[in-house]
């Protein structure tokens, strides 16, 4: 790896870690950087999924005080692991073209859910009005869908998780973002194990990008705690819209 390629990957890793902690979508910075550094698309996608994991862990550390207490949070982790494994197997075993066409609409749809969260809550009911059983099933379903997506592609995972969780959890956006960080880290750990065993990982690229995402993830998580809710929501919606339109352009070009 040339020095210029390493510098590009470090810069991309710092930016991606910060963006993932704030809104999600950092993989759309590191993935093109890996392509530019000379990796073929599939190894770049797999290596990218492994490399961003430390950034997710740092985001959890930075937002740990906002995590809710109790068993309900930890009950989401098995669903996250199973969903992620399903997504990884889809990536390794099926053609990607069909999913590439669907992904932009998933991202744009998730962004729209977050943008119009209050009208949708009036339509489907506020989380506080749902019964315990229905609320549990709904949250588990949201997490399962996000985990499958994260295992398969990963980019904009944070946007999708925040949008789904904000609709079904009666919590502040900072707390929802902290839960998103924990679930994203679980997705990242699962993809790391699966792809390390079965995927074409470029470990040199991972070794350059991963430490940078670690620094960026912690900085981004601390930034989230200082942002007013309306600013945080606006940033996530803006990131999600830009990412969805970019993915749509890439899929149809």
């Amino acid at each position: 790896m040339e020095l210029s390629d390493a510098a590009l990957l470090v810069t991309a890793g710092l930016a991606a870690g910060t963006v993932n902690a704030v809104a999600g979508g950092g993989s759309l910075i590191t993935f093109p950087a890996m392509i530019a550094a000379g990796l073929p698309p599939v190894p770049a996608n797999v290596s990218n999924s492994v490399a961003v994991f430390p950034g997710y862990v740092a985001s959890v550390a930075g937002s740990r005080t906002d995590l809710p207490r109790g068993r309900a949070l930890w009950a989401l982790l098995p669903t996250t692991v199973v969903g992620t494994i399903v997504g990884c197997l889809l990536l390794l075993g099926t053609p990607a073209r069909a999913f590439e066409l669907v992904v932009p609409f998933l991202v744009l749809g998730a962004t729209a859910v977050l943008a119009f969260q209050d009208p949708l809550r009036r339509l489907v009911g506020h989380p506080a009005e749902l019964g315990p059983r229905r609320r549990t099933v709904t949250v588990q379903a949201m997490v399962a869908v996000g985990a499958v997506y994260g295992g398969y592609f990963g980019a904009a995972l944070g946007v999708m998780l925040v949008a789904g969780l904000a609709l079904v959890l009666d919590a502040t956006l900072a707390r929802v973002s902290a839960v998103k960080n924990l679930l994203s880290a679980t997705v990242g750990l699962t993809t790391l194990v699966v792809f390390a065993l079965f995927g074409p990982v470029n470990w040199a690229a991972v070794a350059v990008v991963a430490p940078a995402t670690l620094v960026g993830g912690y900085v981004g998580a601390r930034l989230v705690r200082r942002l007013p809710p309306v600013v945080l929501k606006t940033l996530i919606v803006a990131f999600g819209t830009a990412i969805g339109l970019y993915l749509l352009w890439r899929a149809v070009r």
Side-chain angles (χ1 to χ4, degrees):
M1 183 180 297
E2 296 184 3
L3 185 60
S4 59
D5 292 333
L8 172 65
L9 292 178
V10 168
T11 303
L14 287 169
T18 304
V19 169
N20 277 339
V22 175
S27 291
L28 292 179
I29 301 172
T30 48
F31 177 69
M34 288 189 177
I35 294 289
L39 273 68
V42 172
N45 189 26
V46 170
S47 302
N48 179 64
S49 295
V50 174
V52 298
F53 168 64
Y56 289 140
V57 175
S59 299
V60 175
S63 61
R64 63 189 181 280
T65 56
D66 289 316
L67 283 172
R69 304 292 181 257
R71 278 186 256 176
L73 174 63
W74 304 108
L76 298 176
L77 300 188
T79 302
T80 305
V81 171
V82 173
T84 304
I85 291 173
V86 171
C88 291
L89 294 177
L90 284 173
L91 174 64
L92 295 175
T94 62
R97 180 58 183 165
F99 198 83
E100 285 177 358
L101 293 172
V102 174
V103 163
F105 297 101
L106 292 176
V107 175
L108 291 172
T111 304
V113 167
L114 183 61
F116 300 102
Q117 174 187 329
D118 292 333
L120 285 171
R121 276 185 168 179
R122 287 193 293 270
L123 182 65
V124 303
H126 193 278
E129 300 169 356
L130 300 177
R133 181 179 178 83
R134 183 180 175 189
R135 184 165 56 246
T136 299
V137 171
T138 304
V139 172
Q140 290 281 0
M142 289 287 188
V143 170
V145 171
V148 172
Y149 172 85
Y152 189 97
F153 188 64
L157 171 62
V159 175
M160 299 194 72
L161 286 176
V162 168
L165 293 172
L167 188 62
V168 298
L169 292 180
D170 186 17
T172 64
L173 199 55
R175 176 155 286 190
V176 169
S177 182
V179 175
K180 174 264 295 182
N181 289 339
L182 178 62
L183 298 181
S184 296
T186 304
V187 170
L189 177 60
T190 307
T191 56
L192 187 154
V193 173
V194 173
F195 291 150
L197 293 174
F198 305 109
V201 179
N202 185 302
W203 291 106
V206 170
V208 173
V209 174
T213 67
L214 189 67
V215 176
Y218 188 81
V219 171
R222 303 303 292 178
L223 177 63
V224 166
R225 301 193 70 226
R226 298 175 183 272
L227 291 175
V230 65
V231 175
L232 179 58
K233 184 175 180 178
T234 301
L235 282 174
I236 297 173
V237 169
F239 271 115
T241 301
I243 291 165
L245 292 175
Y246 168 76
L247 290 173
L248 182 61
W249 170 79
R250 196 178 74 175
V252 301
R253 67 174 178 169

